Amino acid sequence: MGIALGIATLSGLLASTRLMSKMLVSPLAGFLSDILGRYRASLFSFFGMILSMTLLSLTHSILAILIISLTFILSNFLEVVLATEVADLAASQDKARELIISLYVNWMDLGLAIGPLIAYLLRVKIEFQKIYLGAALTLLLTAILHLYTMKER
């Protein structure tokens, strides 16, 4: 007699892992960002996420759940670093503080809402492994642009 895991169980596991990792990772990410600096912390989290997305594109096993959990941890790490950058940018502006924070939060929420829908639509035509590889390449381009912008400041 074995244990069957349904999609609802797996979805719940992934959702709770993301929220739990946010609660646990945020203080650590802030601490490491203070020690390493934001540039190195961004570099670590971006390329860690790119590596985990690439690993997701290569696996077909239950191991994917562990890799997705790692991706959640790294995405939370990156979220903390980006939030502190946005807060510093907003603090340096006299008139546009609220606008900067609002744009950041709204774009994050939009991405969180639309991302899974886009992935689902792509899933109809493309297998998951290729979607993960595409996400890794998109993240690589984003990382290059963001890290270049950070270097310029």
Side-chain angles (χ1 to χ4, degrees), residues 34-78:
D34 289 343
I35 292 172
L36 299 173
R38 284 194 201 134
Y39 185 82
R40 286 186 182 146
S42 295
L43 194 66
F44 166 76
S45 52
F46 267 126
F47 289 104
M49 285 180 59
I50 291 166
L51 177 64
S52 67
M53 288 291 191
T54 304
L55 288 173
L56 277 172
S57 73
L58 299 174
T59 186
H60 296 287
S61 69
I62 194 75
L63 192 62
I65 300 260
L66 295 174
I67 298 170
I68 288 173
S69 298
L70 174 65
T71 304
F72 289 160
I73 290 168
L74 292 166
S75 72
N76 289 326
F77 195 99
L78 182 61

Side-chain angles (χ1 to χ4, degrees), residues 46-47 50 78 82 135-149:
F46 267 126
F47 289 104
I50 291 166
L78 182 61
L82 291 176
L137 292 173
T138 303
L139 192 56
L140 177 63
L141 294 173
T142 303
I144 291 168
L145 179 64
H146 181 76
L147 294 169
Y148 175 76
T149 304

Side-chain angles (χ1 to χ4, degrees), residues 88-132:
D88 283 352
L89 177 65
S92 70
Q93 304 296 315
D94 287 333
K95 297 182 181 181
R97 287 183 186 149
E98 296 83 8
L99 177 64
I100 291 169
I101 298 294
S102 295
L103 286 173
Y104 172 73
V105 170
N106 288 330
W107 279 108
M108 288 274 289
D109 289 345
L110 183 65
L112 288 171
I114 291 178
L117 295 174
I118 291 171
Y120 178 76
L121 290 173
L122 289 173
R123 174 65 179 117
V124 175
K125 305 273 185 205
I126 305 169
E127 59 190 35
F128 272 128
Q129 283 70 26
K130 290 181 181 170
I131 294 171
Y132 288 130

Side-chain angles (χ1 to χ4, degrees), residues 14-29:
L14 291 175
S16 62
T17 301
R18 175 150 174 41
L19 293 173
M20 184 64 91
S21 72
K22 187 171 197 155
M23 182 179 72
L24 297 174
V25 169
S26 294
L28 178 64

